[in-house]
Amino acid sequence: MQRLGVDVELVTIGITLLDVEKRGEHPLDLYRIRDRFPVRTIRIPARQDSPGWWVALNRLWVDIIESFRATGRNSATAVLYTKNYSPALAFLALRAIRGRRASVFFEAHMPPRSPLQRYVLRNANGVIANSGALAGDLVAGGLPADRVIATHQGVDLDLVDEFRVPAREARIRLGLPPDRQLVIYTGKIHWGYREVDYLIEAARKLPDGIEMIMVGGREDHNIRYREFLAAEGITNVTFTGFIAPNLVQYYQFAADVLLLYYPSGIALNRYRSPGKLFEYMAAGRPVIAADLPVLREVLGDDDPIAVLVPQDSPDLLANAIINLLADPRKREDLAARGLKRVADFTWMERGKKIMSFIERRLAARK
């Protein structure tokens, strides 16, 4: 949006991290954002291990104060953009006070689950749905079609291209073995999460010479998984712990195969648009993913650009890994088609679509 000429300001909260956690860089540097814009980090009296309600209460207070500040600076319309319901309610109240100087746009990742959430979506100036499946369900649930837009997550393909290196060079930079086949997962890691458990179970069934690397997560959760691996005698899985987002890309470049394997029983599975899927495609590496209809919106139905595996089946996942690693031609084909396809899912294209929608909705308000 900054590149499109929008006056952007990011407001974030600063909490006290656990002692074992790494301290991050400035947010714009951490994500290698070169087009600079104001970032306001507001310190709050909460820790990383504070109860969720306390963090949420502090976040809400910051959102209220900052939204009053943003809408009071000039006579232009301030667009308050959020994906959280509590601040959205505050923003709607503020809009009633500020009038046309404030508008509220909500990015939905799930359908509303309470009357209060339905109120937010009905009264927002517009709703940005995170997938086609979600947009369809919101309209079917009563939202006017002209107040909803569907757009998946994306990736900065230009930035990926700027830092792109061959797999061997990426492995050298990261100290990874050059002579082993590497299957890599980057993303959420927390103790007891079934996606991680399934990946470990699949790793048990992989032959010698194939190593699985799990990238990300809080250190206390990584420690528990490392202890579990040691107790079980599993030697072909490595947990790296937290890796700065601007370095995760090199793990993706280093991979022979990238993994994405959501378990069943999660309501979000119907509507997911995982950012790492687009990062995986942009890395130019083949992807193995759980077979979810919403992912087929991106990967395709008839001839998908990834190997799709039924959920909750570590045995089938292991077979898919073994078969894909044994077929270099298929890996090259999937990687090339994924890289071509992801050009339709850049942050710039997403930003254009959202801004066009916002401008239409603001024009309709006049």
Side-chain angles (χ1 to χ4, degrees), residues 296-323:
R296 287 179 177 264
E297 291 182 13
V298 176
L299 300 173
D301 268 320
D302 297 332
D303 187 18
I305 54 175
V307 174
L308 300 177
V309 180
Q311 293 172 282
D312 307 331
S313 303
D315 290 349
L316 296 180
L317 177 61
N319 290 338
I321 293 170
I322 293 168
N323 292 337

Side-chain angles (χ1 to χ4, degrees), residues 337-354:
R337 290 197 290 133
L339 187 56
K340 181 179 179 181
R341 172 68 168 151
V342 82
D344 296 330
F345 294 94
T346 65
W347 290 126
M348 182 64 74
E349 291 302 314
R350 188 178 197 264
K352 289 177 182 177
K353 192 172 182 180
I354 292 174

Side-chain angles (χ1 to χ4, degrees), residues 95-109:
R95 188 184 65 186
I97 298 171
R98 298 294 199 196
R100 295 187 181 276
R101 292 167 63 185
S103 63
V104 180
F105 286 83
F106 191 87
E107 181 173 312
H109 291 207

